[in-house]
Amino acid sequence: PSIHHLPAPSLRLALAGVSVAKEHDSDARRTRHDFGCAMVGWCAGARKIRHALPPEWSVTIALLSEASEPPEDCAEARMHPVPARLSALSSRCQAITKDPFPLGFLKFALVEWTMYDAVLFTDQDVDLVEHGDSSAAQLASHFVRMLPRLLRSTIEFMGTPSDGAPVNTGVMLIRPNLTTYSSGLAVLEQCDFTSGRGWQLGDEGTRRPPLQD
């Protein structure tokens, strides 16, 4: 049966991306992080997933961006500016850590998005729907089963580690929380980081077992 006929409690979900231009310190070039024409495919995938999800859900295509107007290729996107304090702290801490990917800091703004119950973030070079409508329906089916369970749990973040960091920020599922956001800003303000020991003596994060299907 269609997932639209399965029980699905109402919730607010953001399908989020980023369109921010920042200086790339390693080569002194100004780099656009909307990946040019990749925005076309990303937004098309987001539309397919939104269409496949239950009508009881409020699903928003949202972009973290310096611009006030959405790009032509994703005209329905809701634009969210980078908070000024986060931007300032990110620039300062990026200079200290020599992180070549400053967007990782700016993406922390998603944790403040409490107008949504959950935020699924993907970079524009991530293919949201690899195999057309059937793939979107399959992904939506997983969300209908698993997202309400996540919201009933105490988990605030789901992601995977990468070779160079405890979190690969290209794909993340976040439950926004203002207390967590405030704590994160305090960490950025201190910027207690060394390449040898990471952040405040703890660079591994807390690993939890996956939600059971």
Side-chain angles (χ1 to χ4, degrees):
S2 166
I3 63 168
H4 288 181
H5 294 99
L6 299 176
S10 177
L11 57 83
R12 302 164 300 168
L13 172 67
L15 303 175
V18 65
S19 178
V20 178
K22 299 297 288 184
E23 291 289 343
H24 196 296
D25 290 342
S26 64
D27 58 12
R29 290 184 293 113
R30 187 166 178 81
T31 304
R32 287 293 308 182
H33 291 275
D34 57 12
F35 298 97
C37 62
M39 175 66 76
V40 178
W42 180 89
C43 198
R47 290 187 194 105
K48 289 180 179 180
I49 294 172
R50 182 178 61 181
H51 179 73
L53 287 167
E56 296 89 352
W57 290 18
S58 173
V59 182
T60 303
I61 298 174
L63 290 175
L64 180 66
S65 180
E66 295 170 327
S68 59
E69 297 294 328
E72 292 183 6
D73 299 321
C74 205
E76 70 269 53
R78 178 175 178 180
M79 309 302 283
H80 291 268
V82 177
R85 186 181 177 211
L86 174 61
S87 181
L89 292 176
S90 296
S91 296
R92 172 180 170 273
C93 203
Q94 190 270 334
I96 293 172
T97 62
K98 308 299 183 184
D99 188 339
F101 302 105
L103 270 183
F105 294 136
L106 295 180
K107 290 174 185 176
F108 190 66
L110 304 170
V111 178
E112 191 193 29
W113 289 10
T114 53
M115 68 287 293
Y116 308 112
D117 299 309
V119 177
L120 173 64
F121 176 87
T122 54
D123 277 334
Q124 265 70 58
D125 59 349
V126 174
D127 193 350
L128 283 169
V129 183
E130 294 183 2
H131 305 293
D133 293 340
S134 61
S135 178
Q138 185 178 31
L139 179 60
S141 178
H142 286 304
F143 263 70
V144 169
R145 291 198 311 272
M146 302 306 296
L147 195 52
R149 298 185 186 190
L150 172 67
L151 297 179
R152 291 194 298 268
S153 76
T154 59
I155 296 172
E156 293 184 14
F157 175 86
M158 298 183 75
T160 58
S162 66
D163 292 338
V167 175
N168 180 343
T169 63
V171 180
M172 303 180 287
L173 182 60
I174 297 169
R175 290 180 62 189
N177 184 299
L178 292 180
T179 300
T180 301
Y181 181 73
S182 178
S183 297
L185 290 183
V187 171
L188 280 177
E189 188 165 28
Q190 295 175 13
C191 201
D192 183 7
F193 175 91
T194 67
S195 58
R197 62 180 173 82
W199 291 93
Q200 298 180 334
L201 300 178
D203 204 26
E204 293 300 320
T206 301
R207 298 184 184 274
R208 297 173 180 252
L211 296 175
Q212 297 300 309
D213 194 352

